[in-house]
Amino acid sequence: MAGSLLAYALMSAAPAVAQDSNEADIVVNAYRPAETIDASTKTTTPPRETPQSVSVITRDELDARGVQTLNEATRYVAGVLPESQGMDNRIDDMYIRGFDAGGFASNIMLDGLRMPSDSSSSWNHAAYNNWNMERVEVLKGPSSVLYGQLAPGGMVNQISKTPRAGQPQVLQLLTDEYGKYQAAFDLGQANESGSVSARFVGLFKDGGTQLEHVDHQQWFLAPSVAFEMSERTKLTLQAFYQEDSGGSTFQFLPYQGSVIPAAEGYIDNRTFLGEPDWNVYDRTVWSAGWQFEHKFSDALKLSQNARFTHVDSLYRATVVYGVRGQTVTNPNTLTNGRILPRRAVQGEGDSNGYTIDTRLEGRFATGGIEHVMLAGFDWQRTKWDFLRKQAAVSQTAIQIDIYDPVYTHYDFAPTLVNQVGTRETDSQSGAYLQDQIAAGNWRLTMSGRYDWAKINSLNTLNNAATRSRNEAFSGRVGLLYAFPNGLSPYASFSQSFQPAIGTARDGSTFKAITADQWEIGLKYEPRTIDGMITLSAFDLRQKNVLTADPQNTSTESYQVQTGEVRIRGIELEGRVTPLPGFSVIGAATVFDSKVTRDTTNQGNRMIRVPDWMGSLWLDYSFQQGALTGLSLAAGARYVDDTYGDLANTLHIDAYHLFDAAIRYDLGQIGGAKALLSINGSNLANKRYVATCSALTACYYGSGRTLTGSIRLSW
């Protein structure tokens, strides 16, 4: 199957007539490649000239595929494992090139600025509704050279909707099979001279979810105003306010009953094993900031992005208790193969994040060589508090039958006791310099950055304070040759770093965790059709990984910094329109991962890294005859088997899923263009496990979701 996907994606680049994209209708070509990508270089560089594997999911593609979340946006991107910790309406979580690049890892950017960096031990994180995104950019491989501390696999940058010329007015109404209803709008207007323009985006949704007894409501408003203060100066002010209320779809499942059968087979993927009265995820997210640009001349430009973000949340859940640490040779965590012991928890979080990025871009030539020089400095700080409590209730008093759940409606509030309390300030500042050199068809990119990162943490339960200080240099160099026929071979080297947080036996602090990657690739942008195909191969190694101290006794948890992991891979991804009205997205990934140095797991595979993944999406819009206006699309996704732990004892089976879409252009209705859409994902409602982090911590992926919508634009 992998070979056929590769072959099909390449054959799809055969010459054909290019089609025009109509953003309001989405009927001809929804997959025109982006002309520029901001995140890779922080300059307006075409993806074809970027010496790095990158993907851009445009608004047209998001609408055509019926995307509702960031996880869904990345389903057809090579090297990305979306929904890496199962269905979870609290956050977007994904792995890129074998490393956690989601919200819990603080690896998601918004408009080039990091979202608040609460620790992965906190449940208080931001996640923005996808309706407010203009596009999604995925960078693969280390990207610390422009952003500082990041996981080495890559990062995701979401670009918000802001005012722009010619923007259509859009109203969308949507419902799904679980009783959710949703209304969304996207409106914009400018004054007569065009010096002031505004955009107002919003959404409200409410109703059921895939899990029985779990409802969720969310709404947001996102105004933005752009001021053309002069021909050379522009200021865009942005604001965002979002509220979530209701329950969480995230739940722990036992290995027995999800990965392997229990007494009566497997747990249904709609079964809710928590308590309806103690399933809460209430969250408020609001932010305000600006994007500023001033051109001193055609050759010199000053840019600045800044944002303040506040997040507060309350999370309550009743989850598996189980026996942690059992080997998979004895995975029986259920009584009589059906009775599940449980525990109840509560988490309250609050965070304030500040971030600003200022850069100066100069364009000049030395002889026949052109330069785009970028110098910048960014600063970010997140202050956050988190208090976790657990109910002092016997796990057997609230146990539940996984096949026939009867809820206890237990009042846990009076029994809560403090379990974890943290007050922390995370800060980072970094200076970076980049030179993009063009000499004929050659493109050379050289970048360097130095970071200072600090973490000051206080255990609010015992007043124990810890401090971490890390400094690191990150570099990148990339060379590319842009042939006139659209082919662009390239080679690059890049680095990343992350602060190391842990406890050494002698009380000393750890060095930063670093990574190096070598990558070679070939990009192809056909000259006769819309499309972009990228083939890449990489070798990525992370060093200074924390592992368990081999001198630990059964009651000790000290660490040593001797670990190393290595992942190699080949990725092929294409977005092409080979025939009028026919668009193709193809992605194939082959991984080879290994723990190269570790005190206990050396030689094993890395967690959540399949040997290979593949996806294919075909979309056809009829161009003439009685079916004109009708569009049909179908997709398939495959993920090979993985392991949920470095010991490679928690084996997760492979899975394949099918998606589809039907759209019909109704034409003009009362002065507006109308488009009907039906979108479906995981059509067979396949029950599958995304991963397991313990015998009592397995997570189902999303089941079938069918949505119907009508979109009006004028």
Side-chain angles (χ1 to χ4, degrees), residues 121-349:
S121 63
S122 167
W123 298 323
N124 186 60
H125 289 263
Y128 291 85
N129 190 286
N130 189 261
W131 177 253
N132 193 45
M133 301 305 151
E134 196 71 67
R135 68 181 186 271
V136 175
E137 302 174 342
V138 182
L139 308 187
K140 302 167 192 176
S143 299
S144 289
V145 73
L146 292 179
Y147 298 96
Q149 53 184 293
L150 283 173
M155 57 163 270
V156 176
N157 183 39
Q158 303 172 99
I159 303 298
S160 301
K161 291 178 177 177
T162 54
R164 59 186 178 84
Q167 174 210 327
Q169 316 301 303
V170 179
L171 172 66
Q172 184 190 68
L173 301 176
L174 178 145
T175 188
D176 72 9
E177 63 178 304
Y178 303 118
K180 178 182 78 174
Y181 56 89
Q182 174 178 300
F185 62 86
D186 181 1
L187 308 174
Q189 188 64 48
N191 64 0
E192 187 173 341
S193 66
S195 61
V196 180
S197 55
R199 192 165 185 176
F200 192 32
V201 185
L203 175 145
F204 176 88
K205 64 179 180 180
D206 194 8
T209 67
Q210 177 183 322
L211 290 182
E212 297 171 337
H213 310 291
V214 178
D215 293 335
H216 178 238
Q217 181 187 101
Q218 183 185 79
W219 65 271
F220 82 84
L221 296 173
S224 56
V225 182
F227 300 91
E228 296 278 355
M229 304 168 73
S230 71
E231 290 184 359
R232 296 187 179 276
T233 306
K234 181 178 180 179
L235 173 66
T236 301
L237 301 179
Q238 298 171 269
F240 183 90
Y241 186 91
Q242 177 178 292
E243 284 198 2
D244 293 79
S245 59
S248 166
T249 60
F250 180 75
Q251 61 176 350
F252 291 77
L253 300 172
Y255 193 86
Q256 181 190 20
S258 60
V259 178
I260 61 174
E264 295 185 18
Y266 297 98
I267 303 167
D268 189 272
N269 64 1
R270 292 210 62 195
T271 299
F272 175 57
L273 295 179
E275 284 288 329
D277 300 334
W278 195 258
N279 180 34
V280 175
Y281 193 67
D282 294 343
R283 174 178 57 190
T284 299
V285 180
W286 67 269
S287 62
W290 65 80
Q291 299 183 38
F292 175 77
E293 177 183 294
H294 176 71
K295 296 180 179 178
F296 297 100
S297 66
D298 292 340
L300 188 62
K301 180 175 69 175
L302 175 69
S303 302
Q304 185 181 78
N305 289 20
R307 186 174 64 245
F308 168 81
T309 305
H310 171 82
V311 185
D312 63 76
S313 65
L314 169 66
Y315 175 54
R316 288 175 170 170
T318 312
V319 296
V320 179
Y321 185 88
V323 179
R324 294 183 179 274
Q326 280 186 303
T327 63
V328 179
T329 56
N330 182 25
N332 301 312
T333 56
L334 302 173
T335 303
N336 298 325
R338 62 185 306 135
I339 304 301
L340 178 73
R342 299 183 299 169
R343 57 192 169 93
V345 297
Q346 174 179 290
E348 297 174 89

